[in-house]
Amino acid sequence: QVQLVESGGGLAQPGGSLTLSCVISGFPVDDYIMDDYIIGWFRQAPGKEREGVSCISQRDGGINYLDSVKGRFFLTVYYAHNKGFLQMKRLKPEDTAVYYCAVARRTSCSGDFSDYAYWGQGTQVTVSS
């Protein structure tokens, strides 16, 4: 059974930093090298639609970021350990949301949540003074 588990959320002050983690498990053994998957981070604030924050494709090495987080958020993945991280710096109140990691079986990045079949439970990030 595929499982994604996020952690690392919490309260941060404006200008502060947080690092979110995502542990991925349960993929079929034949797909274990994750070559044909992409890993994405999404967020959803109260009353707003879920939006793609960042995405990485192992196949082509591409990493995409939402314009509003470019230069502040950084996505890394340790495929050997099936772990993904979203390092968030210079946080702003508008970054407050529930953050989700997700996996899709495709080779090119996507910011469309409907492309992703596997989701974590989400972790709350609150940026406030």
Side-chain angles (χ1 to χ4, degrees):
Q1 183 178 354
V2 175
Q3 271 194 316
L4 285 70
V5 180
E6 303 99 334
S7 61
L11 176 65
Q13 292 190 338
S17 301
L18 285 173
T19 297
L20 306 183
S21 302
C22 177
V23 178
I24 304 165
S25 63
F27 278 91
V29 173
D30 289 346
D31 299 334
Y32 201 68
I33 60 173
M34 304 285 285
D35 235 12
D36 293 331
Y37 291 87
I38 61 173
I39 299 171
W41 284 93
F42 289 77
R43 67 185 181 186
Q44 189 164 19
K48 294 188 177 181
E49 290 190 354
R50 191 169 298 191
E51 64 177 354
V53 175
S54 184
C55 169
I56 184 169
S57 165
Q58 186 184 13
R59 176 65 70 88
D60 63 19
I63 303 178
N64 294 345
Y65 294 99
L66 184 68
D67 284 346
S68 62
V69 307
K70 284 180 180 177
R72 299 189 299 119
F73 289 15
F74 303 94
L75 189 157
T76 55
V77 176
Y78 294 98
Y79 290 100
H81 301 286
N82 284 342
K83 289 184 179 179
F85 300 92
L86 185 68
Q87 186 180 26
M88 305 185 295
K89 299 181 178 181
R90 303 201 311 274
L91 284 163
K92 303 177 181 180
E94 50 264 43
D95 295 320
T96 295
V98 178
Y99 283 72
Y100 301 87
C101 67
V103 172
R105 188 164 188 175
R106 51 184 286 152
T107 57
S108 60
C109 264
S110 171
D112 184 345
F113 68 84
S114 65
D115 285 334
Y116 291 78
Y118 307 104
W119 291 85
Q121 81 287 353
T123 185
Q124 176 71 46
V125 171
T126 303
V127 184
S128 175
S129 56

